Amino acid sequence: MRRIRLPGRQRLSLTICLLLVGILAAGCGQKAQIKDEAVPVLTPEQRQLNLESFDMVWTTIRDKHWDPELGGLDWDAVNAELRPRMVTATTMGEARGILNTLINRLEVSHFGIFPADLYDDVAAASDGEEVPSGDGFTGMDVRVRDGQTLVTRVWPDTPAAAAGVVPGTEVLKVRSLDLRARAARLDSAITEKSSKRMLLSMAMQNRLQGQVGETLPMTLRDAEDQEVTVDLELVEAPGTLFTMGNLPATRVYHETRILPNGAGYFGFNYFLGITEVMPAYNKALASFKEAPGVVIDLRGNPGGLGAMAMGMSGWFIADKGHQLGVMTMRTGDLKFAINPRANGYTGPVAILTDEITASTSEIMAGGMQDLGRARLFGATSAGAALPSIIDKLPNGDGFQYAIANYISDGGQQLEGQGVTPDQPVSDGRKDWLNEGDPVLKAAMAWIDAQQQ
């Protein structure tokens, strides 16, 4: 069976794939049943593959769940109850419903079954079109707010900047795809509210890609509420191409700057590229020693290597013996111990989060918050902190399962809940148009207040 091992979200497309599995379990079953209405009764061969899939899911959970006791659940009794129902299941919708019932007995997130047709449709945002692929870059990031796909960042010296796009601009159409209709369709399909914003935003962001040199036609609603049409020629995305194991190559970038109020700013898109990002981070923090505050921007950062978070947090923690949290696995516990740095930064620290702040990003943000060493601004994070695996089942469906559990230093379970910012910041269309970056401005205002 094809296996994808993902210790963190490594790319937009992979992030959507992983998230889709965990949050659409109920939705997948429902939509599959609708499609099954026009499908003939399963053949004996298909029913056998479904039975083999049931056995694979049951056995995998028994052997690889981080808690060998499954929280006291009688797993053999669950098998005895549900397996006979799989033997007699006559449609794929019924079979998937039984598999979801099996998984739901665990009462944990990050476990799910997804059919390939729904996976392709929702994760790739196909809507009957070819899925856009490539490293082509428009120069803007987007997030979904109240059904609107809003520009939240415009990179300098990019096609979007040259076209006069500003934060708060709404993207109405990309190619022939109506993004409002697309967002509404996804919104109705996603049943788990905690992860809805992440999937919506990443699905829309995924639509802004293509091949370098390709022209991307778009319809926008500008700051004056006028519809304008632009054709953006896609350019190479920023950052350095990074590869790890069998994962797709990913562009990793980082940014260091001094903010108008003198605070130091460091932002990056993945906890990857350790030989490049860590030296840049260390250099930046060393240069911020006399700054009135430091801002770490984890918005849009879906995670990566946990060891980087331990080292990065060490700049703000002087004493030994602290940790961000603990990850529990079948083989034992992994403590995210902080590596304190001599002569670190002792001033105010602000961390920016949004719905795409996930995995290692959540671990760092939540741990620093628990330790009282950072104030968080923005929106609740993704609630997707666990390492997980996707296996392809004998019947062709996908099965995602987590291989660990994570509890923050303050005793909070991040999975399915996310990290709640100390200061939530409104970031609708008017906020972006008026403030430019309302979350960063809120963090700067707090830093200024600490100097009074």
Side-chain angles (χ1 to χ4, degrees):
M1 300 300 169
R2 182 172 60 87
R3 174 167 294 182
I4 305 173
R5 294 186 178 274
L6 294 165
R9 309 302 195 273
Q10 307 299 328
R11 197 174 181 178
L12 281 179
S13 58
L14 292 180
T15 306
I16 293 172
C17 296
L18 281 178
L19 182 62
L20 174 69
V21 181
I23 66 179
L24 291 185
C28 287
Q30 182 179 7
K31 187 167 183 178
Q33 290 171 3
I34 293 173
K35 290 188 175 185
D36 283 342
E37 290 176 1
V39 177
V41 173
L42 295 174
T43 66
E45 291 77 12
Q46 291 171 324
R47 293 169 69 175
Q48 178 60 33
L49 291 175
N50 284 336
L51 185 60
E52 292 174 10
S53 298
F54 179 95
D55 291 340
M56 180 175 171
V57 170
W58 184 87
T59 301
T60 298
I61 292 173
R62 180 196 65 187
D63 296 342
K64 298 185 178 181
H65 192 278
W66 60 86
D67 177 9
E69 303 300 323
L70 299 181
L73 183 64
D74 190 337
W75 201 232
D76 289 327
V78 173
N79 181 72
E81 174 192 350
L82 298 179
R83 194 175 190 277
R85 291 171 52 185
M86 184 63 84
V87 172
T88 59
T90 58
T91 69
M92 282 304 300
E94 184 181 358
R96 289 175 184 133
I98 295 168
L99 286 174
N100 279 316
T101 298
L102 173 68
I103 290 170
N104 290 340
R105 294 294 174 86
L106 295 172
E107 297 184 347
V108 294
S109 60
H110 244 55
F111 286 75
I113 301 294
F114 59 97
D117 56 352
L118 183 61
Y119 166 85
D120 291 338
D121 177 54
V122 178
S126 61
D127 273 343
E129 302 179 5
E130 287 190 15
V131 177
S133 62
D135 290 329
F137 182 59
T138 62
M140 58 185 174
D141 295 336
V142 298
R143 299 290 187 270
V144 176
R145 297 291 181 265
D146 298 322
Q148 302 173 353
T149 300
L150 303 180
V151 175
T152 55
R153 178 174 182 176
V154 179
W155 297 67
D157 303 319
T158 62
V165 179
V166 297
T169 299
E170 181 185 2
V171 183
L172 297 172
K173 288 185 179 180
V174 177
R175 298 182 175 91
S176 61
L177 181 66
D178 184 325
L179 295 195
R180 284 190 182 181
R182 179 59 182 163
R185 180 182 174 193
L186 284 170
D187 185 69
S188 65
I190 302 169
T191 58
E192 185 173 320
K193 294 181 179 180
S194 64
S195 299
K196 183 177 297 232
R197 297 179 80 199
M198 181 178 184
L199 179 57
L200 289 174
S201 291
M202 298 199 78
M204 298 304 104
Q205 184 73 45
N206 200 40
R207 270 292 164 182
L208 302 183
Q209 65 185 22
Q211 298 298 324
V212 173
E214 175 186 356
T215 297
L216 190 66
M218 306 175 68
T219 302
L220 309 175
R221 181 164 67 109
D222 65 15
E224 285 72 41
D225 285 333
Q226 299 298 311
E227 287 193 16
V228 296
T229 300
V230 296
D231 293 321
L232 302 184
E233 182 178 350
L234 300 182
V235 297
E236 186 175 286
T240 302
L241 208 58
F242 175 79
T243 58
M244 184 176 72
N246 295 322
L247 295 173
T250 303
R251 287 199 174 273
V252 178
Y253 66 80
H254 54 83
E255 177 186 6
T256 301
R257 56 190 168 106
I258 299 299
L259 298 172
N261 66 346
Y265 171 97
F266 190 86
F268 58 115
N269 67 330
Y270 288 100
F271 282 83
L272 296 173
I274 189 169
T275 57
E276 180 177 337
V277 175
M278 283 304 299
Y281 179 85
N282 292 336
K283 181 179 179 181
L285 265 294
S287 71
F288 297 160
K289 288 294 293 294
E290 303 303 322
V294 168
V295 175
I296 304 299
D297 196 345
L298 297 181
R299 292 176 295 178
N301 187 323
L305 302 174
M308 292 178 65
M310 301 182 220
M312 288 179 168
S313 300
W315 273 94
F316 310 112
I317 304 296
D319 301 326
K320 295 182 180 180
H322 294 288
Q323 61 188 26
L324 298 171
V326 178
M327 185 169 288
T328 301
M329 298 172 287
R330 177 73 65 104
T331 55
D333 291 343
L334 173 63
K335 296 182 178 180
F336 282 74
I338 296 175
N339 304 317
R341 180 178 289 268
N343 301 316
Y345 182 78
T346 59
V349 180
I351 295 180
L352 313 185
T353 63
D354 68 7
E355 68 269 30
I356 304 181
T357 302
S359 189
T360 301
S361 291
E362 294 182 281
I363 289 173
M364 179 173 176
M368 290 283 288
Q369 182 185 54
D370 285 348
L371 292 168
R373 194 58 193 90
R375 184 171 178 83
L376 273 54
F377 296 81
T380 300
S381 66
L386 299 184
S388 63
I389 294 172
I390 297 177
D391 280 341
K392 189 173 183 180
L393 297 173
N395 66 4
D397 284 351
F399 168 45
Q400 182 191 21
Y401 57 96
I403 58 174
N405 192 28
Y406 179 82
I407 303 296
S408 74
D409 184 70
Q412 301 299 313
Q413 180 171 308
L414 301 184
E415 195 66 23
Q417 300 180 32
V419 182
T420 301
D422 299 288
Q423 186 170 327
V425 179
S426 174
D427 61 348
R429 173 173 159 84
K430 290 184 178 180
D431 300 306
W432 286 103
L433 289 173
N434 294 335
E435 301 290 336
D437 187 339
V439 180
L440 180 58
K441 286 200 171 182
M444 290 171 58
W446 172 74
I447 290 173
D448 290 343
Q450 306 312 300
Q451 311 308 311
Q452 299 175 0

